[in-house]
Structures are given as C-alpha cells and as structure tokens.
Amino acid sequence: MNRRKAIFSLGTLAASWVAVPGLLAKELHKVPSETRMNEDHLPKPAGRQGYRVLTDEIARKNLAAVFDRLIPADEWGPSASEAGCIEFIDNELAGDYGSGAALYLSGPFDPDNEKKMMGGPQFISSPRERYLTGLKALETWARNTWNSSFHTLSDSRIDEFLTNMEAGKIDLGKEIDSRALFELMLQNAREGYLADPIHGGNKNMAGWKMIGFPGARYDYRLYIERRNENLNLVPVSLIPGD
Amino acid sequence: MSQTRKKADVVIVGLGWAGSLMAEELTRAGLNVVAIERGAWRDTSTDFPPAVDTDELRWHTRRQLLQPMSVETMTFRNRDGQDAAPVRNWSAFQFGWNVGGAGTHWAGMSWRFSPWDFQVATQTRERYGAARMAGLQLQDWGVTYEDMEPFYDRFERIAGTSGAAGNLAGRIKAEGNVFEGARVRDYPTPPLKDTHWMSKYRQTTAGMGYHPFTVPSANISQAYVNPLDVAMGPCTYCGFCDFHGCGNFSKSSPQACILPVLMRRPNFTLLTETEVLHAVKHRDGKTVTGVKFITKEGVEGFQPADIVCITAYQMDNVRLMLLSQVGQAYDPGTGRGTVGRNYNYQTCSTVTGFFDGEHMNPFIGTGALAVQIDDFNGDNFDHGHLGFIGGAGIMGFSTNGRPIQNMNTLRPGTKRWGSAWKAGYARDYQTASTIFCQGTSMPVREAYLDLDPAYKDRHGQPLLRMTFDWNRNDIDMANYVTERAIDIMKATGAKDLLVDNQTERSWNPYMQHSSHTIGGAVMGADPTTSAVNPWLQSWDAHNLFVVGASAFPNNGGYNPTLTVGALAIRAAQAIHRTYVRNPGPLVRG
Ligand SMILES: Cc1cc2nc3c(=O)[nH]c(=O)nc-3n(C[C@H](O)[C@H](O)[C@H](O)COP(=O)(O)OP(=O)(O)OC[C@H]3O[C@@H](n4cnc5c(N)ncnc54)[C@H](O)[C@@H]3O)c2cc1C
Ligand code: SF4
C-alpha cells in the first residue's frame, strides 16, 4: 500500500473527532507559556560514545588520510583529524544529515537527465551510503593501483590522487562519481574544521583562530564603529567553559 | 470520509508574514479566523535563544529552520520539451515552514518597490516606445506606488523598520534613497551603523557622484514599541541573522511583531503541523467552500470557511491554485490561461575584492546591513542608448562573516584545499568585501509554472514544475550593472576581483544566491492576463484571495517582503471593509 492510499484509509477509519483525539489537527490558542527549549532545537553536543558509522577501522583511517591532505597540519594549525573532523563527520553521518532526512530521494531517477538539468550529478542515495561505498572504492583503488591500503600511501601519492579526483580523472567504478565524492569530502572536512566545536570538530577552535573568527558571540555594538582595527577577540564556543 | 471542522469566517493557509498580517487585520475587525500552518510553533526563547542561534552549521549550512525537500520540492527545466528534474538538495529555493514562515529567518532588507516597478509596461511604452517591449510579457500591476504607500507605511510601523527617508512627501533628503517614491513619514527607527567596509563603500560611491544610503532594515537599530503594543529590542550586529532566528527580539518577524497579540485574540485559532492539500470548489463554480487539509498524523480534514486566503508563499500559492483547479492553467504555446503565468526570478551578480592588510571584521553584521546606490536601479537612469530595461540596486554589504559560508571567498587562483587553502583563507577572511547587484527581472512568455507530470510530494500530490531561463533583456541588464559594480570595486582600491555574474550560464537552482521567486498568480486589471485582481481576489472564485509574491507580474531590484506585506494588509482591509458587506467581485474584469 503506498503512502497516499494509507492516508485515505486512515481518514476513513477515523470517523469522528472524538474517537481518535490524538489524531486531530493541533489547535493552538494563546502563546504557549512553556519556556523550556523545544526538544528538536536543543543543542546536541557530538557524542563521545565511539564511532557509529565509521566503524570499520580501515575505512576510517582512509578517510583520515584524505582529510589530512585536504587540511594538513602546518603553521596555520592542526590537521583535520587532529581537530576532530573524523569524529565530526561520524556524528553527522549518524544523524539526519547522514540519512538524508531533508533530501528528496524519491524516483523516478534518471541520472543523466538530472545531471544535465541541474548542472551536476544528483543522488538518491544518502550521504551515509555515499561515504560507505566511496570509502570501500578508495581502498579497492589503492589495492589495485599500488597494492597497498589507501592510508599507507605517501602524502604526495594521496595529493596526486586528490588532484586527479578533483579534476574528475579518477575512476572509482560505475557506481561512484569520483569528482562528486571529492566535493562531498572537501565540504565536510572544512565544515568540521570551521563549525562550532559542539559538533565534534574545530578542537580548541583551531579553525576559527586560523582566520580570526570570534565564534559564538552575540553582541558587537561596542565594536562596529572601530575602523580597520584588529580587535583581538578571543573566540568562544557553544560548549560551556570551552 | 474526513473530519469537518466548525465553519470559520476566514481560513488562512500558511502563517508567515502575509498570513499573520492578514490575520491581524481580520481578527481586529471582528472576524473569526482559523489559520492552518504546515510547520511547527517556533518562538524566540524556546527555539532560537542566543546560545542556540549562534550555530552556523545547524542553521545556515544544514538549514534546520527551512522546509526540507522531503516535505515538498520543485522540479525544474530550462525550457519546454525538456524533462524536468526534481530539486533533491538544498538550493536557491529557501522556503519557510514554521509558524512565522520565512519571516522568522529572513535577512530583513525592507524595501518598498519604486513607483516604476508597478507600471513597467506603461512607463516603458511612454519613455522608450513599444518596440522596447518586444519579447517581454510586460503588464502593469493594477496598483500604483501611491495606492501602496499607506500599506507600506503600516507594515513599516508594525515591523519597526530602520532607515532614513530619501523622499519625505516630495522633499529630497540626501541621507536616504533620493530615488525612492514619496513617503508620508520617516522610518520608525533610525538607520543601522556602518561597518568599516560600508563606510568605505559609502565614501567611494559618493565620490563617484552616486547617492549612497543605508539599506532599510528589519534588524532594528533601537528599542521600539509597535502600534500593536509589542516591544522589540535593539539589534546587536551578531552576524548570525539570515537563516537563523533572532535571539534578541530585534529582527522583525511574525513572532517578534504580531503573534504575541494575534494569539491572544479569542477569535483566532491556529492549527499547526497541518498541511492544506487544496481549496474545495463550490458547485456554483464562483466560490470555494473551504480547504481540505491533512494532519501530521495523516488524518484528512475539511475546514469550511466563507473566505479563503492562500498565503503559503509564492510557490505554494501557485501550486495550491493549480491543485484546487481554480482558474485556467497557463499555456505558453497559446499564451492563454493565467495560473502559472509570468513566473520570474531575480537577476543577481556579485563582485568581491580584497584589501591587503586591512581588518574588515566581517563577523560584525546583520542580515540587512548594507549601503546601497540606486543610481542604476529600475528606470533611475536613461536607457535610451541601452538595449534593455530595468537595473539593479548595487550594495556593499556586511551581512555575515560565517566561516563555513565564506570558505571559498578566496583570491582568484587559490586552491580550495591543502596548506594553500589554509594560508589563503587566513589571509583573505579579514580582507574580503563584496558588492551585490540585486536586479529587476522582466517576464517572458516561455517562463512559467505548472504541475509536474512525474514527481509527487509525500502526500502523493504533484510537485510544482518550473520552466525558466534567463532572458535576453535581463542578461543585458546584468552585464551592464555588473560592469558598474566592477568600476566601484576598483575605485575602492580593492585588488584581485572575483566576479560572479549569474546570467553567464543557463539558470539552475544550485548556482543561485537569491531566494526571491515571484509571479505565477499575478495581479492585474485584466482577467485574461492576471489570476487575481488588484485586491488579490481570484477572478475565478470571488471568496478566494491569493496573497504573496506570486502576485508580482515583474520583479523589482529589491527584496520582496515589504511589498508582500503591504499587499496583504491592503487585501485584508478590502475584505473586512468591503467584501464582507457585499460578497462578490470587488472589481469587474
Ligand atoms: C534566508 C532568507 C533570507 C531572506 N531575506 C530577505 C530580505 O532580506 N528581504 C526580503 O524582503 N525578503 C527576504 N526573504 C524572503 C522573505 O522571507 C519572504 O518574502 C517572506 O517571508 C514571504 O512571506 P509569505 O508570507 O509570502 O511566505 P512565508 O513567510 O514563507 O510563509 C508561508 C507559510 O506558509 C506555509 N505553507 C506553505 N504551504 C502550506 C500548505 N499547503 N498548508 C499549510 N501551510 C503552508 C509555510 O510553512 C510557511 O510558514 C528571505 C528569505 C530567506 C529564506
Ligand atoms: S543581526 Fe541583529 S536582528 Fe539579526 S539575529 Fe543578530 S541581533 Fe537579531
């Protein structure tokens, strides 16, 4: 039974308001006096209960190898994995982002036409699925090409691989658009580096210190009219006491 | 069989800006109003207090306040004959879906359209001759700026809008927009302050002989009590504004300005997390009897009402018209039919420049914080020697310094990863500044909305399909104003310009920055070319009012919301002052 049919038969069953009070349209009068945060808007700090999606150690090491060439340790700050970006992406993939809860994933799906219309490849698989198949393909590619696990490749080999991936010159099999996978990983690695530490990355606000972003402050009235000045504002995060 | 609720005088579909403003007018006039909103109740202290609001990843990157595509999306193609594809991911389409609508998380640029925008057809014919209109489907709105002035004024008072008048009852004032239509009184609150970049932009453009002014803003500059007796606080330039709620009660929104009063009125009822599926036509063929809805739990119901107001945002307004089968669907082949006609977007471009060694402190910002010149907007400059009509507001903005959003704002040639990216972003974050051109868009016969034949939403109803690409007029306009913006950026002393002129390639929803979609159920004095009359009343069902940017026959070089709100107040007043006394068409077609 499809969803629409299910809805119609439900409607038929619920013959009167009173019979199924839980199903009535939610009526609201007056301003709700509750001031407690709504559950779905409460901040949910990234959990530290271990990996939930990146449970395979090789896959995780391979992803860290990619992330740490996208954002290496250098004079500008720690590497992606040192800054917590692997914990960050694992946490993201375990939640609504990973399952693609917001995305329209229904068919029909005609990849060629959708790519043409939208100026780039479209997907009906969730980000979680794309990571898991992508990381497997990465390992297969390294084994086939260099006869070793991806994460053991030298920095320069990984850099070359990523450069080619960015240019769409890497073949990871028919299932995977390697350029799109590159863009996904690049986006997420940098999100982890620059998002509030409450999401698991940007440890010690390293990403914010790199550029001079003061973080979760809410009042700049004192500063707005100070012209062309280094304000030297120490960043603050949403984690109390961080 | 579905649930039938008690009859209401008026049912309002969607409680965003338009719905709240109408509900406020109608309940104050004593009518019994039921509003049906698809999204949840959201409020300042329970959903976006300061310690929750300052999270770029959640609110901007992941867009957690916006309507997900899994709830409803659009399909898109550039032209007839192509197979449209669904918009699966976040894109330029940014729909609100909570009580308050997109008004909860808008940026807050609070513009009146110019007098010219309402009469492009007449004015173009008179000034440049009918030949200039070739290829465009121009039509007047059926209202003039003068008709709109009192309603703009009312919305500004409710919202507490910050700005400086440029034309006070005919008196031109240099601190405001000298090109604006005459306003009867000044803004309720003074303009916001300049950031470093804005003061540079202001000085440069003034030096070039242009007329800079502070963009009118819904991020209000000081404490304010509005005519409904609702109090607002001063904006703190927090920089987490568009896509975020406001934790300070300083961004005008239905929550901050109207709902505290509206919700307490005994003749107002709100159904949340309930979606209207369509309006139901009466057997007489001249009216509708109410709306069919479905609750979050999947139970269908019927809300009977004497009057139905659809205020579900431009796209859903058109979609609900089509799903309700009120009026004739537009056919681009014959040009007949009105529902779906004159869909349009907004022609935009940006020019970013870099200032060696300077500290722009971009994190100091508000959604609407900008200095603009209107010297190249609308018909404020002579188009005699130019091959197009229209123009753009050209602004230097300080809207945010959100680090994820700006991570690709790098000098040309900078790599997006590796140590090169880190060094580049560390160098450029503080030194980048942007000029934004927000342009007019003119309607053409080929651009329209209809129902998609293949794709459905979660309830099995067809998605809306958009057929759109940039047209010649708007491409020529964008090229011209982008050149002006480049001249200005060069004059500020910036180096290494990055230019993004969006009309250089075919339109697609992932390439764009603007959320400003318009048209599809346009207003006008001629029922053969408009879906609603100048009071936003359907020509085909006189107790149905369709209110939103869907009514704009063409887009101005401004953000839309003040015009949407002014039209909403005007329509609501027509309902309670005229329509309820003598229900029927308010004008003859
Ligand atoms: C990030 C962002 C920044 C913006 N910045 C600006 C700006 O600076 N200046 C400006 O002028 N404008 C801006 N806008 C646009 C502005 O938000 C809209 O123009 C304005 O909110 C439109 O008001 P509305 O009442 O027509 O629609 P909305 O405020 O979107 O309200 C429509 C409501 O209808 C509900 N709805 C839809 N369909 C149904 C249905 N079938 N049943 C029940 N309910 C339904 C929706 O859930 C929504 O709550 C911005 C928008 C966004 C997203
Ligand atoms: S910038 Fe001002 S109006 Fe916007 S969210 Fe921050 S305090 Fe509120």
Side-chain angles (χ1 to χ4, degrees), chain B residues 46-85:
Chain B
T46 50
D47 294 281
F48 36 82
V52 169
D53 190 41
T54 44
D55 189 342
E56 177 186 18
L57 185 79
R58 282 185 87 184
W59 309 117
H60 186 265
T61 317
R62 303 278 183 261
R63 302 189 172 189
Q64 278 186 22
L65 269 171
L66 270 60
Q67 180 215 276
M69 290 63 63
S70 51
V71 167
E72 186 188 325
T73 187
M74 318 257 319
T75 70
F76 159 76
R77 58 182 181 174
N78 282 124
R79 60 194 66 85
D80 252 345
Q82 295 177 323
D83 288 327

Side-chain angles (χ1 to χ4, degrees), chain B residues 9 116 173 175 201 212 266 273 318 329 347 353 356 374 405 447 521 528 552 558 560:
Chain B
D9 294 330
W116 180 80
K173 302 181 60 141
E175 62 272 31
Y201 185 82
E273 299 180 68
V318 178
T347 318
D356 282 337
D374 255 358
Q405 184 183 355
T528 65
F552 300 5
Y558 304 104

Side-chain angles (χ1 to χ4, degrees), chain A residues 14 28 70 72 74 108 191 218, chain B residues 3 53 62 236 270 418-419 455:
Chain A
L28 207 59
L70 295 176
D74 55 21
E191 283 172 2
Y218 215 62
Chain B
Q3 308 298 313
D53 190 41
R62 303 278 183 261
T236 55
L270 171 60
S419 288
Y455 291 95

Side-chain angles (χ1 to χ4, degrees), chain B residues 3 52 137 158 171-173 270 378 386 393 414 437 467 540:
Chain B
Q3 308 298 313
V52 169
Q137 195 154 270
I158 289 175
R171 226 165 8 103
I172 300 302
K173 302 181 60 141
L270 171 60
L386 301 167
T414 311
C437 304
T467 304
D540 299 281

Side-chain angles (χ1 to χ4, degrees), chain A residues 3-4 7-8 10-12 14-18 22-32 34-38 40-44 69-74 76-79 88 92 97 100-110 113-114 116-119 122-124 158-159 162-163 166 182-183 186-188 190-191 193-196 198-199 208 210-221 223-231 233 238, chain B residues 1 3-5 41-43 45-47 49-59 61-62 64-65 68-70 73 76-78 82-90 193-196 199 234-238 240 245-248 259-260 263-264 268-274 293-295 297-300 357-359 361 363-364 369 401-404 407-408 416-419 421-423 425-426 429-430 454-456 458-460 463 508-510:
Chain A
R3 168 116 174 100
R4 182 146 177 79
I7 286 159
F8 276 135
L10 249 184
T12 319
S16 84
W17 284 119
V18 227
L23 298 181
L24 300 187
K26 230 163 136 183
E27 224 179 75
L28 207 59
H29 295 272
K30 306 235 166 66
V31 178
E34 185 61 77
T35 54
R36 195 181 52 190
M37 283 285 307
N38 275 325
D40 61 343
H41 275 203
L42 257 182
K44 291 182 191 57
R69 294 315 299 158
L70 295 176
I71 307 179
D74 55 21
W76 304 103
S79 73
F88 166 84
E92 287 294 298
Y97 173 74
L103 308 178
Y104 183 76
L105 302 177
S106 311
F109 184 52
D110 173 352
N113 183 58
E114 293 200 15
K116 197 171 114 209
M117 282 307 116
M118 298 299 175
Q122 305 301 304
F123 301 93
I124 52 169
I158 297 178
D159 283 353
L162 292 172
T163 305
E166 184 180 17
F182 173 87
E183 292 297 334
L186 177 60
Q187 170 72 22
N188 292 149
R190 296 188 300 172
E191 283 172 2
Y193 208 70
L194 297 166
D196 194 283
I198 201 166
H199 298 292
W208 292 350
M210 174 178 95
I211 57 172
F213 177 65
R217 289 172 183 258
Y218 215 62
D219 191 351
Y220 292 114
R221 279 172 297 177
Y223 302 103
I224 182 159
E225 292 189 299
R226 287 166 63 174
R227 301 275 169 256
N228 191 17
E229 211 182 299
N230 184 350
L231 298 173
L233 295 174
L238 290 169
Chain B
M1 286 291 101
Q3 308 298 313
T4 297
R5 288 176 52 87
W41 175 262
R42 300 282 179 206
D43 213 347
S45 45
T46 50
D47 294 281
V52 169
D53 190 41
T54 44
D55 189 342
E56 177 186 18
L57 185 79
R58 282 185 87 184
W59 309 117
T61 317
R62 303 278 183 261
Q64 278 186 22
L65 269 171
M69 290 63 63
S70 51
T73 187
F76 159 76
R77 58 182 181 174
N78 282 124
Q82 295 177 323
D83 288 327
V87 181
R88 300 188 178 279
N89 212 325
W90 297 115
K193 290 177 175 156
D194 280 5
T195 59
H196 177 47
S199 70
C235 168
T236 55
Y237 304 89
C238 82
F240 297 95
C246 176
N248 282 338
L259 298 177
M263 293 302 295
R264 288 183 171 87
F268 182 70
T269 302
L270 171 60
L271 307 184
T272 62
E273 299 180 68
T274 301
F293 63 77
I294 185 163
T295 67
E297 290 76 16
V299 180
E300 291 196 11
E358 291 203 33
H359 292 271
N361 297 322
F363 41 83
I364 305 177
L369 194 59
R402 285 174 295 219
I404 300 172
M407 68 192 179
N408 290 328
R416 294 178 303 150
W417 54 280
S419 288
W421 170 69
K422 293 176 80 178
Y425 200 18
Y429 176 74
Q430 271 288 1
Y455 291 95
K456 311 255 188 284
R458 56 184 180 158
H459 302 309
L463 297 178
N508 87 56
Y510 294 113

